[in-house]
Amino acid sequence: MFDWFANTLRTYPEIALFISLALGYYFGSFTFKGLGLGAVTATLIAAVIIGQLGITISPPLKATFFLLFLFAIGYGVGPQFVRGIAKDGIPQALFAVVVCFFCLAAPFVAAKLAGYDVGSAVGLYAGSQTISASMGLATDAINRLGLPPEEAKRLLDGMPVAYAVTYIFGTVGSAIVLALVGPALLRIDLEAECKRYEAEHGGNRQQGGAGTAWHHYELRAYKVREGGPVVGLTAREAESMVPDNRLFIERIRRNGRIEDATSETVIQAGDIVAVAGRRDILVSLLGPVADEVDDRELLAVPIEGVDVLVTNKQADGKTLAELAQWPTARGVFLRKIARGATATEIPILPNTKINRGDILTIVGRTPDTTAAAKALGVADRPSDIADVAFIGAAIAIGALIGALVYKIGSVPLTLSTSGGALISGLFFGWLRSVHPTFGRIPSSTVWFMNSVGLNMFIAVVGISSGPGFVAGLQQLGFSLFLWGIFATTVPLLLAMYVGRYVFKFHPAILLGCCSGARTTTAALGMINDRAKSTIPGLGYTVTYAVGNTLLTIWGMVLVMLLA
């Protein structure tokens, strides 16, 4: 039975790939206190085990999936990457560049001191910095060294060995260093600093929403009393009586007739007004001074929550307080801000700045949300259709440009097809955020290209290098794990002190900047958990975009440095 199974996998290697994916995603989903192997490492381990059967896989398959992955990475981080370099995200972008150099230097020094070859050094780098994508560019670079095929294969086989050994601490250790050790070393009370940041910027905690019985915003009907304080005022004047909160008079029943209210509608005694606002304000402020009535017809208005992709350059860089003054903001409430490839949730504070490429979740009457969406950008309503022609053309253009070779003297320089796909993704991802009339890729498709593309590449690497994995691990020994700890920890410690004392970031966002520059989402999750706040996410998106790009490219750079 076993011989039949092994022979079947050798004859049909595509089956081995799907088994690796199934085992990798299944076992990678298990976590303990938010930490686990993850799909990438679990897929690699499964593929290495399956690879002991001596399965041969066609090389172009690996490159195809890797190009999909790199393009998806660039497409997702493009808007924040460009903004981080071009605008007021420059301090965070520069910080990410500095941290990335730390992340390159530490594994380089470790590899030199330990005497590792190029393949093991790249694996040490990729695992300790948890940047799997770098192995693809490193593979291209090693293949261009002009080495004998046996030597090149030996180097490539050592890469996943070192990666697998160092990745676990690279993930777990990063979270521990940033979330647990960092605040103690810097003497930061993370929860208190986040509360202070929220207080300084006028923030409040968001609760309730879809799926819960309690809703943050509601529409209620009140009858205007004779001689009441709002009689004779316009709707705008009445709404301004609560300056620190957003209340809107949406509709009015007058003499039995219902009409929509505008900002210039004059309120009269006996009117029944439909008022939208925060639940606590409606209950505590209007409850004691107005008579609430159950007017089903008045309150039967179409309400929707819609995601809006911000593309208007007039909105770029504006604070929420400034956007609230736009006429189209009347009647609309902001529920959520998502930013970057990781859809990091950004706190809703009056001084929070909105960037092009952000996705704002707004709620309100359908006419109001439609007007607001048009003013901010485009409504990003759910769709299952991806612009596949755009995907194919963009990857092809990037790969063709990357395939060009430039010579400086006798030294050939090239982005490689992989680097070209990454740069193409960055450019077209940014272009999509500015001109969203083409190139739509639903978030589910981006996830598939990103996650499955990378893991299919990793599965091919693991299966191909499986026979040499055990021998390589025996040769490198436990010292590799210790060097991985060094390569993971040193850049993070340096990053925290440089961010605190050189860049002088606010303590509430400092650790978010560090985790973004190192592209460690697990660390950000633990930091937010300890802070009991999403404030650290304000430092994550720009640094993640820059870090994800440079750390990927460093795989190729490390080969050039060591070779």
Side-chain angles (χ1 to χ4, degrees), residues 313-442:
K313 61 182 179 181
Q314 300 300 323
D316 188 28
K318 292 286 193 300
T319 65
L320 292 180
E322 292 172 328
L323 292 177
Q325 302 305 313
W326 286 19
T328 51
R330 186 176 184 275
V332 174
F333 300 94
L334 179 61
R335 183 64 189 163
K336 180 182 177 182
I337 306 172
R339 178 172 297 167
T342 56
T344 303
E345 185 172 348
I346 302 301
I348 298 175
L349 308 171
N351 290 333
T352 296
K353 291 184 178 181
I354 297 301
N355 305 325
R356 279 201 291 188
D358 286 352
I359 295 180
L360 309 186
T361 302
I362 59 176
V363 295
R365 294 191 308 161
T366 300
D368 295 332
T369 57
T370 300
K374 185 176 181 180
L376 292 170
V378 293
D380 192 24
R381 291 185 167 86
S383 173
D384 296 331
I385 300 175
D387 190 344
V388 180
F390 161 78
I391 296 173
I395 294 177
I397 291 170
L400 286 171
I401 294 174
L404 298 174
V405 179
Y406 307 91
K407 283 192 175 182
I408 300 179
S410 60
V411 179
L413 296 179
T414 177
L415 286 171
S416 78
T417 56
S418 303
L422 176 62
I423 300 302
S424 175
L426 288 170
F427 173 75
F428 284 108
W430 166 78
L431 193 61
R432 158 75 182 173
S433 72
V434 178
H435 301 288
T437 56
F438 72 99
R440 175 177 176 80
I441 309 179

Side-chain angles (χ1 to χ4, degrees), residues 26-38:
Y26 177 74
F27 288 104
S29 64
F30 292 104
T31 60
F32 178 73
K33 294 186 177 180
L35 299 174
L37 284 176

